[in-house]
Amino acid sequence: MAFSRPPDCAGVAAAERSPATALAPPDGVDTMDWDQLREAVRGCTRCVLCEKRKQAVFGVGAAAAPWLFVGEGPGADEDESGEPFVGQAGKLLDAMLAAAKLERGREVYIANVVKCRPPGNRVPAPEEAAACAAWLDRQIDLIGPRVIVALGKTAAMRLTGRESSLAGLRGKAYAYRGIPLVVTYHPAYLLRNLPDKAKAWEDLLFARRTLGTAAA
Ligand code: URA
Ligand code: SF4
């Protein structure tokens, strides 16, 4: 379902979108429940990405999923549908999940670093990722996943706090908010670099070992 853009995005909120304000967490975010969080994200004007979105793409999955996958940001298909990873990259992600006997909505939650589509599918700017961080952090706290998988460089840099190539970041276990974090290629990259799918598979196995049980 498409939602109309909040009326205050382009005008009143412009001052609020100064980087300094955007970096302060939204009021009350740490105590929001799922409904409050969803509503706050739907009307969010914390960064310029609110201006061109059709709708914010909140995230999808089981509320207490052991696996959390974090992508970069919605593309055109996601902006249209309101669900993350529904386009071509999403189909590959679902196939990778299925190979690992995982399924979105069952033991997997899927979210993005930014919830609103960057125009032209450009990489989100660091200040946009920072403005959106509090929403993802609250999602993480509510879900309480046992492992986080960062998909691609934007998520990897945002969650590890390191600046490096994806190749330099993968293969190690990090922690984010106390939760084990691993890094792998973005499915959109894998669509263009099919041989690297084997490495992404290794990363999923590594994530599973990091999570610590074959059953989850
Ligand atoms: N790419 C992403 O990073 N996220 C999506 O939701 C879709 C494509
Ligand atoms: Fe708000 Fe995030 Fe959308 Fe920016 S990308 S307007 S911070 S929900």
Side-chain angles (χ1 to χ4, degrees):
M1 188 174 108
F3 297 105
S4 58
R5 174 154 63 82
D8 62 348
C9 180
V12 179
E16 284 172 26
R17 294 201 305 268
S18 70
T21 314
L23 286 173
D27 283 346
V29 65
D30 287 342
T31 56
M32 284 181 185
D33 64 20
W34 279 111
D35 286 345
Q36 291 166 329
L37 186 61
R38 193 179 292 277
E39 200 50 33
V41 168
R42 190 171 87 84
C44 178
T45 58
R46 285 167 59 79
C47 83
V48 71
L49 297 182
C50 70
E51 292 180 1
K52 299 272 168 66
R53 72 181 175 210
K54 289 189 175 160
Q55 58 188 319
V57 177
F58 182 72
V60 67
W67 292 74
L68 170 64
F69 287 79
V70 180
E72 179 173 285
D77 295 321
E78 292 77 22
D79 186 49
E80 195 67 51
S81 75
E83 181 165 334
F85 283 103
V86 293
Q88 283 307 108
K91 290 195 174 70
L92 177 56
L93 178 61
D94 283 339
M96 289 166 57
L97 294 177
K101 299 197 166 42
L102 299 171
E103 195 177 312
R104 73 165 71 198
R106 204 175 58 196
E107 56 283 273
V108 172
Y109 196 98
I110 304 174
N112 282 307
V113 166
V114 293
K115 315 251 177 255
C116 305
R117 182 190 181 202
N121 300 338
R122 64 168 170 78
V123 175
E127 59 268 28
E128 293 158 357
C132 214
W135 304 136
L136 179 62
D137 287 353
R138 184 62 187 154
Q139 284 175 303
I140 292 172
D141 289 351
L142 286 170
I143 296 165
R146 288 165 55 199
V147 67
I148 302 174
V149 181
L151 299 169
K153 193 170 171 182
T154 299
M157 290 195 347
R158 155 81 178 85
L159 296 174
T160 65
R162 296 173 198 214
E163 268 194 54
S164 174
S165 67
L166 201 281
L169 290 171
R170 58 179 287 278
K172 299 184 199 73
Y174 305 86
Y176 187 73
R177 293 176 95 73
I179 297 160
L181 164 70
V182 306
V183 165
T184 192
Y185 293 104
H186 193 286
Y189 165 88
L190 293 175
L191 287 172
R192 302 186 305 266
N193 299 272
L194 291 176
D196 279 340
K197 271 167 65 172
K199 292 185 192 155
W201 179 245
E202 282 170 26
D203 296 334
L204 271 189
L205 296 179
F206 178 53
R208 190 185 276 288
R209 285 198 302 279
T210 302
L211 181 147
T213 164

